[in-house]
């Protein structure tokens, strides 16, 4: 900030400073160097773009949007009601008439109604049975029961005395006698395991100790029994048997089920063809009382047949058979069995007549790939080296051009002193020449807040 005294400028100097700054084109060297390093060269400035001519306003033309769904392989398409109806009509099953059964034409010309009339007797008439008659009958019965109860209530008769009241109190609940508890030992798994171990040890003890008995020494002079000619019977001819496939069994079962089902359907159709006349409702004189149902037999309990019990029995049987098989194999392995003597010619090795294998050089694909990779790496290295050299040459040329530009600019800024003007000295008595500067024109000072604001900005 400038001192306070510097803020007080004369009106004359303050009014002449901007005019002199505009008129004098001289700039100091430091200012010009700073502008050279900071200002933007004119070649980098964007040229003004001419304003585009405004087109007259017009109505917006609508365009169909380009959706991504239109570029898919399967376009989305919704069928109309008419197309759906046509498709439903096309998918409807067509009517196909069945072939005529010729047995119908060969049969006698008698209708089913005539057959039914010939077989069944005429329906006997029966009286009607109305619900109102039943209600009337129940009402009469209730009235008779009420009259009988009233007659019994009117004739009082004392009951005989119960002698048990004098012997012991009556009305208390009887306490049933509990039977004595019979102690039972708990079924622990340890007992079953110990019993199984004891039975296994007993079986091992019961196995007889087979004494070792060596076999007689074979006679090597005789031909062994294995190589002796044994008269064998010719094998019986092979008899071919048909295959028993499960698919055939399943097919037979399916055919039997199908035949049974068709028979049931035929019976049902025959039963539906027979006409049955409805019975007439019973009359008032003979009420329709349904017969009592037959008493059902008592339910006889049967034990459950659980699959788990069957699986357990199978597992126990397999386990015991497995243990017995292992014991049998151990006993068979414990028996001594001598091998038979071999009566053959011993093996004699002989030299091979094939020539020795001559080693030959082989070409690996890795060697070819390595040479190709080396040539490729060399090309890439040369390419990078050329790029680096071009880049270094461009940087060096740019640096030299910049130095030359600075050097030329500094030459233009070299200071040259102007020669002194040739003055003609005159005598003292001579009159001084009139000054060439124009006279100062007075101006009215601009007082007020605007002046103060301008001074503060100058500070």
């Amino acid at each position: 900030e400038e001192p306070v005294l510097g803020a007080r400028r004369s009106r004359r100097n303050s009014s002449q400073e901007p005019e002199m700054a505009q008129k004098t084109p001289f700039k100091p060297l430091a200012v010009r160097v700073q502008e050279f390093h900071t200002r933007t060269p004119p070649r980098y400035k964007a040229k003004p773009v001419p304003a585009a001519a405004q087109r007259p306003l017009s109505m917006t033309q609508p365009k169909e949007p380009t959706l991504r769904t239109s570029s898919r392989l399967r376009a989305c398409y919704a069928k109309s009601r008419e197309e759906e109806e046509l498709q439903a009509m096309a998918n409807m099953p067509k009517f196909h008439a069945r072939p005529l059964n010729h047995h119908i034409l060969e049969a006698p010309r008698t209708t089913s109604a005539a057959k039914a009339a010939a077989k069944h007797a005429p329906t006997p008439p029966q009286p009607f049975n109305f619900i109102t008659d039943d209600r009337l009958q129940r009402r009469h019965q209730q009235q008779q029961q009420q009259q009988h109860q009233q007659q019994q209530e009117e004739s009082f008769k004392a009951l005989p005395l119960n002698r048990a009241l004098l012997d012991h109190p009556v009305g208390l609940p009887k306490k049933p006698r509990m039977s004595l508890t019979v102690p039972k030992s708990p079924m622990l798994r340890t007992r079953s395991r110990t019993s199984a171990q004891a039975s296994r040890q007993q079986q091992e003890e019961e196995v007889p100790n087979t004494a070792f008995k060596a076999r007689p020494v074979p006679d090597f002079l005789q031909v062994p029994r294995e190589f002796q000619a044994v008269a064998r019977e010719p094998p019986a001819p092979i008899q071919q048997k048909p295959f028993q496939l499960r698919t055939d069994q399943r097919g037979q079962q399916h055919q039997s089920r199908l035949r049974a089902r068709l028979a049931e359907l035929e019976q049902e159709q025959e039963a539906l063809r027979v006409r049955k006349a409805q019975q007439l409702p019973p009359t008032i004189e003979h009420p329709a009382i349904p017969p009592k149902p037959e008493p059902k037999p008592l339910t006889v309990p049967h034990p459950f047949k659980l699959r788990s019990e069957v699986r357990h029995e199978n597992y126990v049987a397999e386990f015991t058979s497995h243990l017995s098989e292992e014991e049998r194999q151990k006993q068979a392995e414990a028996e001594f069995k001598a091998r038979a003597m071999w009566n053959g010619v011993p093996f004699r090795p002989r030299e091979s007549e094939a020539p020795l294998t001559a080693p030959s050089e082989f070409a690996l694909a890795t060697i070819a790939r390595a040479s190709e990779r080396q040539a490729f790496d060399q090309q890439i290295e040369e390419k990078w080296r050329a790029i680096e050299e071009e880049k270094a040459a461009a940087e060096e040329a740019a640096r030299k051009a910049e130095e030359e530009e600075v050097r030329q600019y500094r030459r233009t800024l070299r200071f040259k002193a102007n020669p002194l003007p040739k003055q003609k000295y005159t005598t003292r008595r001579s009159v001084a020449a009139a000054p060439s500067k124009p006279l100062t024109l007075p101006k009215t000072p601009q007082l007020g807040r605007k002046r103060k604001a301008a001074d503060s900005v100058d500070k």
Side-chain angles (χ1 to χ4, degrees):
E1 294 183 359
E2 296 181 0
V4 179
L5 295 174
R8 297 178 181 178
R9 301 175 181 175
S10 61
R11 296 177 182 175
R12 180 178 180 182
N13 295 339
S14 61
S15 61
Q16 290 181 359
E17 273 185 1
E19 295 179 359
M20 292 178 66
Q22 293 178 0
K23 290 181 181 180
T24 57
F26 175 75
K27 292 182 181 180
L29 179 61
V31 174
R32 296 177 69 182
V33 171
Q34 186 177 4
E35 288 181 356
F36 174 75
H37 289 289
T38 56
R39 70 181 180 180
T40 304
R43 63 179 179 275
Y44 294 115
K45 291 182 179 179
K47 296 180 180 180
V49 179
Q54 294 184 355
R55 292 183 296 179
L57 298 176
S58 61
M59 294 180 66
T60 304
Q61 297 293 336
K63 292 184 180 180
E64 185 179 358
T66 55
L67 303 176
R68 296 183 67 182
T69 53
S70 60
S71 61
R72 294 176 183 168
L73 296 177
R74 184 178 63 185
C76 299
Y77 176 70
K79 296 182 180 179
S80 62
R81 189 176 184 84
E82 296 178 354
E83 292 178 353
E84 291 180 354
E85 290 178 355
L86 292 174
Q87 187 176 2
M89 291 287 289
N91 294 334
M92 285 177 63
K94 296 181 180 180
F95 174 74
H96 293 285
R98 294 182 179 179
L100 177 62
N101 190 0
H102 297 283
H103 296 286
I104 297 172
L105 302 176
E106 296 175 0
R109 299 181 180 180
T110 55
T111 59
S112 59
K115 290 181 181 179
K119 289 181 181 178
H120 299 283
T123 305
Q126 294 182 0
F128 294 99
N129 185 11
F130 295 104
I131 298 174
T132 54
D133 299 337
D134 297 341
R135 284 202 298 266
L136 184 61
Q137 188 177 3
R138 285 197 299 269
R139 190 177 299 169
H140 287 308
Q141 291 177 1
Q142 291 177 1
Q143 289 177 0
Q144 291 177 3
Q145 289 177 2
Q146 289 177 2
Q147 290 176 3
H148 184 64
Q149 288 178 2
Q150 287 177 4
Q151 291 177 3
Q152 289 180 356
E153 290 175 358
E154 289 175 359
S155 60
F156 175 73
K157 186 178 180 181
L159 296 174
L161 178 63
N162 189 4
R163 297 292 180 179
L165 296 173
L166 303 176
D167 297 338
H168 55 80
V170 181
L172 297 175
K174 293 182 180 181
K175 293 183 179 180
R177 285 188 176 184
M178 304 296 291
S179 61
L180 296 175
T181 304
V182 180
K184 292 184 180 180
S185 61
M187 291 295 293
L188 301 176
R189 298 292 296 275
T190 53
R191 291 189 177 184
S192 61
R193 288 200 293 269
T194 53
S195 61
Q197 290 178 2
S199 61
R200 197 179 297 109
Q201 291 177 3
Q202 188 176 1
Q203 290 177 3
E204 291 177 358
E205 290 175 359
E206 290 178 358
V207 174
N209 295 325
T210 56
F212 175 74
K213 185 177 180 181
R215 295 183 180 181
V217 179
D219 190 2
F220 296 104
L221 300 176
Q222 296 179 0
V223 179
R225 295 179 182 178
E226 298 177 359
F227 299 99
Q228 290 179 1
V230 180
R232 296 181 182 179
E233 297 179 358
I238 298 171
Q239 297 180 358
Q240 296 182 358
K241 294 183 179 180
F243 293 101
Q244 295 181 358
L245 303 176
R246 292 185 179 179
T247 53
D248 298 341
Q249 297 177 2
R250 287 200 296 269
Q252 293 174 3
Q253 293 175 2
H254 178 69
Q255 291 293 335
S256 62
R257 287 197 296 269
L258 186 60
R259 292 194 201 95
R261 187 176 177 186
L262 292 173
E264 291 178 0
L265 290 174
E266 288 180 0
Q267 291 177 2
E268 290 177 0
Q269 290 177 2
E270 290 291 339
L272 291 173
R273 291 192 188 99
V274 177
R275 294 186 179 182
K276 295 182 180 180
Q278 296 181 357
Q279 297 180 0
L280 293 173
T283 59
I284 301 170
E285 298 175 358
H286 303 282
I289 299 172
K292 292 183 179 181
E294 296 180 358
K296 295 183 179 181
L298 297 175
T299 304
V300 180
H302 293 283
F304 295 99
K305 294 182 179 180
L306 302 176
R307 294 182 181 178
S308 57
E309 295 179 356
V310 177
R311 287 200 299 269
H312 179 68
E313 292 174 359
N314 296 337
Y315 172 74
V316 172
E318 290 177 3
F319 185 72
T320 52
S321 64
H322 183 66
L323 290 178
S324 62
E325 184 68 18
E326 286 184 356
E327 292 293 334
R328 189 182 62 78
Q329 289 181 1
K330 288 181 180 179
Q331 290 179 5
E333 290 174 1
E335 293 179 1
F336 176 76
K337 294 180 181 179
R339 296 182 180 179
M341 291 293 293
W342 179 72
N343 295 330
V345 181
F347 174 75
R348 294 180 181 179
R350 61 177 182 178
E351 296 181 357
S352 177
E353 298 178 359
L356 298 176
T357 303
S360 60
E361 296 182 357
F362 48 87
L364 298 175
T366 54
I367 298 173
R369 287 200 299 270
S371 60
E372 293 175 1
R373 184 67 184 181
Q374 186 176 2
F376 176 76
D377 293 340
Q378 188 175 2
Q379 291 179 1
I380 295 297
E381 188 177 357
E382 291 176 359
K383 185 177 180 180
W384 279 107
R385 192 182 297 109
I387 291 170
E388 291 293 337
E389 290 176 359
E390 291 178 2
K391 189 175 180 181
E395 290 178 357
E396 184 68 20
R399 186 179 62 79
K400 289 181 178 180
E402 186 178 0
E403 290 179 357
E404 184 67 21
E405 189 175 356
V406 172
R407 193 180 298 111
Q408 293 294 336
Y409 181 72
R410 287 179 178 176
R411 286 179 182 176
T412 56
L413 298 178
R414 188 173 295 173
F415 176 74
K416 291 183 179 181
N418 294 325
L420 292 173
K422 294 181 179 180
Q423 296 181 359
K424 295 181 179 180
Y425 295 97
T426 56
T427 58
R428 295 179 180 176
R429 295 179 182 178
S430 59
V431 181
S436 60
K437 290 183 179 181
L439 296 175
T440 303
L441 299 175
K443 290 185 179 180
T444 307
Q446 296 179 359
L447 304 174
R449 292 185 178 180
K450 293 183 179 180
R451 185 65 183 176
K452 293 179 180 179
D455 293 341
S456 63
V457 171
D458 293 339
K459 292 178 182 180

